[in-house]
Amino acid sequence: MRIVELTDSTRENVLNDLLKRSPNNYSGYEEKVNEILTAVKTEGDKALFDYTLKYDKYQLTPENIRVTAEEIREAYAQMDPELVEVIRRSVANIRAFHEKQLRNSWFDAKEDGTILGMRITPIGRVGVYVPGGKAAYPSSVLMNVVPATVAGVKDIIMTTPPGADGKVNPGTLVAADIAGVKTIYKAGGAQAVAAMAYGTESVPKVDKITGPGNIFVALAKKAVYGHVSIDSIAGPSEILVLADETANPRYVAADLLSQAEHDELASAILITTSRELAEQVSAEVDVFLQRLSRREIMEKSLDNYGYILLAENMETAIETANDIASEHLEILTKNPFDTMTRIQNAGAIFLGEYSSEPLGDYFAGPNHILPTNGTAKFFSPVNVDDFIKKTSIISYSREALQAVHQDIERFAESEGLTAHANSIRVRFEK
C-alpha cells in the first residue's frame, strides 16, 4: 500500500478522491434508470416482467413471481445446519440491540387544559431490497428486517433478483424467513425499486424502501424518494483504521483487506502516527494478498482508494478521521476509549484489537447499514427510528387559548396571513 505523509494538501486530495465514489457522480446512468421507472409506473407487471427477462434471463409471471413455502423449505435443505443456527444467534443479538432503541408515545398535560404530545406509530408497509447473484448478503437481510419488526411494522415485503433458473439465493431466503419476512418477490434492479415505489398488479406499493444495491438500485431509490421514503443512497464500502505504535500490524492489514474485497470502489485507509507501523502494515498486506481468494478485486481497490496516511501527531490523525467520516472506523490505540471521545463523525466505531469490523457485519447486534461517502457527518446507521413515524398532538382548552390568542394573532398578521389570525380571533368574538 502507498504510504503518504499527511499534510493539508494530501488530506484534500484524499477527500476529493473518495468523493468520486459517490452515487451522485454517476449521472450517466440516470437516463436509463428513469426509463425503467417510467415504464414500470405506467405498464406495471408487463414492464417488470420484461426487464426481468432482459436482465435476469427469467420469465416472470403473476404465478411464479412470489417465493413459495416449498422454495423456502428447499433453501433450508441446501444450507449448512450450523450456519442456520449462527443466523438465529445473530438475529437474537440484532433484535436485543435494537429493542433498546424503542421509544414510547408521550403526552404532557398541564392544569390550564393544555395537552401536548408525540404519538409514535410504525410505518405501515416496508419494502426491503436484497441484491442477488455474487452480491447476495444474507446478513443485510437481517439488518433491514429485524429493526423493522422491532419497530412494529406489520407488513414487510422483500424483493430480490432470481437466477436464470428462477431460483433465489438460499441464504437470502433462510435469513428472511428467520427474520420474519412473509412475502418475497423475485425481482431485482431498478425495476424492483419501481414496483415497490409505485405498485404493480403483483407487487404492492410500500411506504418505505430500504436495502443496498448496485448503482442502478441506488439511483432508482434516489429518484423515487418523495413517492416513498428511503433509508439512504449507499455508496461503496469503506474502512478507516486509526492506530498508533501499539497496534498489531497483522491485525490492521487483515482489517483493511476485509473491506477492500467488497469491490474495486471500496476504500481502505490507515491513519497512523507510527512510520514503523505503516511500513509493517504495507508488508503484511502484500503477504495476505498472496493467499486470499479475491486478490484481483483487493489490489484494484487498494490501487484506487487505499492509503496509509502518516500523521505528525494523534490530533492531526483524529482531525482527518473526522473529515473523512468513514463508514467503519477502527480505533487501535493505547487508549481507544479516550480516542473515541474525540471522534465526531463515523458510521460505526470499533474499539480495540478484538473488535474487528466483521464483528459488526455479522454478529454483534448494531446495524451494519451505515452512512458512506462522508455522510456520517449528518446521517446515522439504520435503526428503529427508520421504521416509525411521529405525529404531534395538540389540545388546548378555551382558557389555555384565551391566554395566548392575541400573541398568535399578532404573529400571524406580521406574516400577512390574516386568515390565520381570524381562525383564532373568531373563537373570542363577543
Side-chain angles (χ1 to χ4, degrees), residues 247-258:
N248 184 317
R250 190 167 175 80
Y251 294 171
V252 174
D255 293 353
L256 292 172
L257 293 175
S258 74

Side-chain angles (χ1 to χ4, degrees), residues 101 346-348 366-371 379-384 386:
Q101 301 170 5
N367 210 290
H368 80 197
I369 303 172
L370 304 165
F379 281 145
S380 304
V382 165
N383 60 85
V384 169
D386 286 298

Side-chain angles (χ1 to χ4, degrees), residues 3-74:
I3 300 175
V4 178
E5 296 280 352
L6 184 53
T7 65
D8 290 343
S9 176
T10 58
R11 173 164 37 191
E12 190 69 23
N13 290 338
V14 170
L15 290 172
N16 289 335
D17 209 20
L18 295 178
L19 287 175
K20 295 176 185 176
R21 303 151 59 250
S22 169
N24 293 322
N25 291 327
Y26 289 83
S27 56
Y29 296 95
E30 287 180 346
E31 183 176 351
K32 184 59 183 178
V33 167
N34 288 332
E35 174 189 315
I36 294 171
L37 296 176
T38 300
V40 174
K41 185 177 182 180
T42 55
E43 300 175 20
D45 273 356
K46 179 183 182 304
L48 177 62
F49 296 171
D50 288 348
Y51 283 119
T52 301
L53 181 61
K54 179 178 180 179
Y55 294 121
D56 298 312
K57 313 303 179 187
Y58 181 66
Q59 181 62 66
L60 279 181
T61 68
E63 290 72 36
N64 68 15
I65 188 173
R66 186 167 170 176
V67 171
T68 65
E70 177 60 30
E71 287 176 299
I72 292 175
R73 285 193 290 271
E74 289 176 2

